[in-house]
Amino acid sequence: MLLTPFTAISAIDGRYSDKTDILRPLCSEYGLFYFRVLIEIRWLQALAAHSGIQEISKFSPTTQQQLNDIIKNFSLEDAERIKFLEKTTRHDIKAVEYFLKERMAKLSFFPIFLTKHHIKKHRNNYRKISLIICFLLQPKHES
């Protein structure tokens, strides 16, 4: 069914969608997957940067850039790939792990992933910060 003001789940994505479009990248399924990917990659980078963790050696600048590019270039197609993997895994966070393993296959390390609890906690914090920034950057309308 085509999304129209009459077929929308709520007025937020229906009649008020022109005012809430800025929230789609943050609050949609796409946004959910983006923040999960972001958190997993930042976790790996933090582990690799920590001198007390011997299991992962420090990342080269090239590897750091490759990881940052996964975040920077995250696309709708990437979110769709994660959703496809979720049909197999029957678990959304496991699907993100599989997606990252596919993307990191060219890198020479095995990723250590976070638990569901850690991801939800940090994802929600990133979302809150992003929503606040979006709100603050909105043009002010005069009455």
Side-chain angles (χ1 to χ4, degrees), residues 28-41:
S28 62
E29 185 98 4
Y30 167 90
L32 180 74
F33 289 143
Y34 169 80
F35 284 113
R36 286 178 176 165
V37 167
L38 171 74
I39 291 161
E40 290 282 6
I41 289 175

Side-chain angles (χ1 to χ4, degrees), residues 71-99:
I71 297 167
K72 180 181 170 190
N73 300 322
F74 190 79
S75 66
L76 186 56
E77 291 78 22
D78 292 334
E80 289 169 349
R81 176 66 182 154
I82 293 169
K83 194 65 177 172
F84 175 80
L85 292 168
E86 186 180 355
K87 290 177 185 175
T88 304
T89 63
R90 303 180 80 62
H91 194 276
D92 51 351
I93 293 174
K94 187 60 71 178
V96 170
E97 290 179 22
Y98 282 31
F99 168 77

